[in-house]
Amino acid sequence: MNLHEYQGKSILSKYGVAIQRGVIVDKLDHAADAAKQLTQETGTSWYVVKAQIHAGGRGKGLVKETGSHGVVLAKGIGEVEEKVKGILGGHLETLQTNGIAKKVNKVLLAEDVYYPGETETSEFYMSVLLDREKGRNVIVYSTEGGMDIEHVAEHTPELIYKEFIDPRVGIQGFQARKIAFNLGLSGEAFKQMTKFVVSLYTAYEGCDASMFEINPVLKTSDNKIIAVDAKVTLDDNALFRHPEYAAMRDLAEEDETEVEAGAAGLNFVKLDGNVGCMVNGAGLAMATMDIIKLSGGNPANFLDVGGTADAERVEKAFSIILKDKNVKAILINIFGGIVRCDRVAQGVVDAYKSFGNFPVPLIVRLQGTNAVEAKKLIDDSGLDVHSVVLLQEAADKVKEVLA
């Protein structure tokens, strides 16, 4: 589950991580009052207006309606309303939105931590995530923080450092000091960075995150270390332990069909292909997508219907898959271990009939418990359904119907 910047910062702050403070604004007429509140709390006289969407690159992104960037500076309270107006309610497109302009429903009005006239500041990059190959969490960091970290990783990878954390003992003091040293810090800034690193890692573990990315981490001219931005992804499987974080979910930022599927208890991920998949079990789903690729097609989705596949569940899965106008065929590939194939077949037949004229070719492969009865049921239904037995037959049939 992805969080907005302001939500990620609220978590960091609870764990003692110093952050760039701010006030959330969701209505234009609240902007001036929010600026006054922020001045009272922080003393700032300049304000950074930040679009809140689930995407990076906001500073370089553009709001379609106004041409404003997604992150702008208001040099005084008199400019706040104008800057907010240029972003709030508009549609922001960045390099990470995949060509889709996302509506900005909220902006973060943040304090200016780049003190006017001061130049002795440094920006760093830092993230915490799991290295699956090593089976350890890793802190990735660089002296080259800012908006072009992807360029740094591609062209000067030697400037990217990694510190692996042994999960049996957690982060150690010498590791935090090593990070501060590699970032070229000394004196008070060195001490502040070691504290920042430990607090950041503690927050990552404490909230069961999949990733924390802070870009930039700022060393101010008076040697404070501050998280100026925060991109946070939480592990969905651990949200039952954190109901307060689960409540932060912004469904408006997620794919509508994925939200609908989740509400129906279906595991669904939209892809860019032309063959819809309906499968039970993640491993079988991956194998099915491979078969589709080998047949010359491209999977349009990952959809795991789980252990039950009655008519209602299959019909719901059909309706979700068919929302994608790029789908030219659907392949059902079910292995009946606990679930009986004949019951799945009846569910497919009933769901198929409920659509009247089914819009695309349907290929069904049912193997396992009562597979023979299931195939006979579909073959005798009189419906225009392609029933197959072998996985290779399914691939051949996909190729045939797409031709």
Side-chain angles (χ1 to χ4, degrees):
M1 184 182 90
N2 293 322
L3 297 182
H4 287 294
E5 174 192 351
Y6 76 94
Q7 295 169 326
K9 282 181 173 177
S10 70
I11 293 175
L12 290 173
S13 183
K14 290 178 182 178
Y15 282 88
V17 179
I19 63 169
Q20 177 194 37
R21 294 165 292 180
V23 179
I24 204 70
V25 176
D26 57 7
K27 293 181 180 179
L28 181 60
D29 55 6
H30 292 173
D33 289 338
K36 293 175 183 176
Q37 176 187 338
L38 188 60
T39 297
Q40 290 176 350
E41 293 175 356
T42 68
T44 188
S45 58
W46 286 12
Y47 312 86
V48 186
V49 183
K50 299 182 171 185
Q52 297 298 285
I53 61 170
H54 288 173
R58 293 168 296 161
K60 289 187 175 180
L62 294 175
V63 177
K64 278 196 167 184
E65 293 83 352
T66 64
S68 170
H69 289 291
V71 178
V72 296
L73 178 65
K75 298 179 179 180
I77 197 167
E79 295 184 8
V80 167
E81 190 168 304
E82 175 191 354
K83 299 296 185 180
V84 171
K85 185 177 181 180
I87 300 175
L88 187 61
H91 292 80
L92 178 63
E93 182 176 350
T94 80
L95 291 175
Q96 295 186 17
T97 59
N98 299 318
I100 300 172
K102 304 185 74 170
K103 186 175 181 181
V104 181
N105 295 307
K106 296 177 181 178
V107 298
L108 178 64
L109 192 64
E111 64 176 323
D112 178 29
V113 289
Y114 295 81
Y115 309 137
E118 296 286 352
T119 58
E120 297 176 8
T121 61
S122 300
E123 290 185 334
F124 308 114
Y125 171 88
M126 191 171 294
S127 62
V128 190
L129 64 159
L130 172 65
D131 186 304
R132 296 185 182 277
E133 183 178 345
K134 293 184 178 294
R136 295 187 174 192
N137 292 326
V138 58
I139 299 177
V140 182
Y141 61 103
S142 175
T143 55
E144 307 302 305
M147 291 189 289
D148 295 318
I149 188 63
E150 293 84 2
H151 185 273
V152 174
E154 181 178 357
H155 296 282
T156 52
E158 68 275 9
L159 297 178
I160 305 291
Y161 299 90
K162 294 182 178 180
E163 186 67 29
F164 293 94
I165 311 300
D166 188 331
R168 294 169 296 183
V169 297
I171 189 167
Q172 300 296 293
F174 78 89
Q175 293 178 298
R177 292 191 293 272
K178 177 182 175 183
I179 292 171
F181 178 81
N182 284 341
L183 292 174
L185 298 175
S186 60
E188 182 61 25
F190 184 97
K191 295 178 183 178
Q192 291 297 319
M193 179 59 78
T194 58
K195 178 183 176 182
F196 182 94
V197 170
V198 172
S199 297
L200 177 64
Y201 186 81
T202 303
Y204 170 83
E205 283 206 318
C207 67
D208 290 307
S210 300
M211 182 194 72
F212 267 27
E213 183 180 62
I214 315 299
N215 188 28
V217 177
L218 177 70
K219 182 194 82 69
T220 66
S221 57
D222 55 354
N223 292 317
K224 295 177 182 177
I225 304 297
I226 297 174
V228 175
D229 195 5
K231 183 184 289 185
V232 176
T233 302
L234 301 179
D235 185 346
D236 287 2
N237 296 311
L239 287 177
F240 72 95
R241 299 199 295 205
H242 306 284
E244 71 279 18
Y245 299 154
M248 294 179 176
R249 183 165 231 141
D250 187 350
L251 297 180
E253 287 288 322
E254 300 181 20
D255 183 88
E256 291 182 7
T257 52
E258 292 184 10
V259 172
E260 182 181 354
L266 301 171
N267 296 308
F268 176 86
V269 178
K270 189 178 182 304
L271 303 173
D272 297 326
N274 56 357
V275 181
C277 309
M278 189 187 307
V279 189
N280 67 331
L284 184 58
M286 300 301 289
T288 302
M289 290 193 288
D290 287 343
I291 283 294
I292 290 171
K293 288 287 288 185
L294 291 172
S295 71
N298 283 297
N301 64 270
F302 170 104
L303 196 157
D304 178 4
V305 295
T308 58
D310 54 22
E312 182 180 357
R313 198 171 183 81
V314 173
E315 183 177 350
K316 186 64 175 178
F318 278 153
S319 68
I320 289 172
I321 292 173
L322 291 171
K323 286 180 183 293
D324 185 350
K325 302 304 179 184
N326 294 322
V327 170
K328 305 303 180 187
I330 296 176
L331 171 59
I332 297 178
N333 190 13
I334 300 288
F335 177 78
I338 298 174
V339 62
R340 282 170 37 186
C341 289
D342 56 331
R343 289 186 177 177
V344 177
Q346 188 61 57
V348 170
V349 170
D350 293 344
Y352 190 101
K353 289 179 178 178
S354 71
F355 276 83
N357 294 322
F358 204 78
V360 299
L362 178 62
I363 304 155
V364 179
R365 176 181 181 264
L366 302 173
Q367 287 296 297
T369 307
N370 291 356
V372 174
E373 293 85 348
K375 188 175 189 310
K376 185 176 187 302
L377 196 156
I378 289 177
D379 290 342
D380 294 345
S381 68
L383 301 176
D384 186 18
V385 177
H386 305 280
S387 180
V388 299
V389 176
L390 302 177
L391 206 52
Q392 185 58 54
E393 288 182 90
D396 294 340
K397 188 60 68 173
V398 167
K399 187 174 183 178
E400 177 186 323
V401 299
L402 290 178

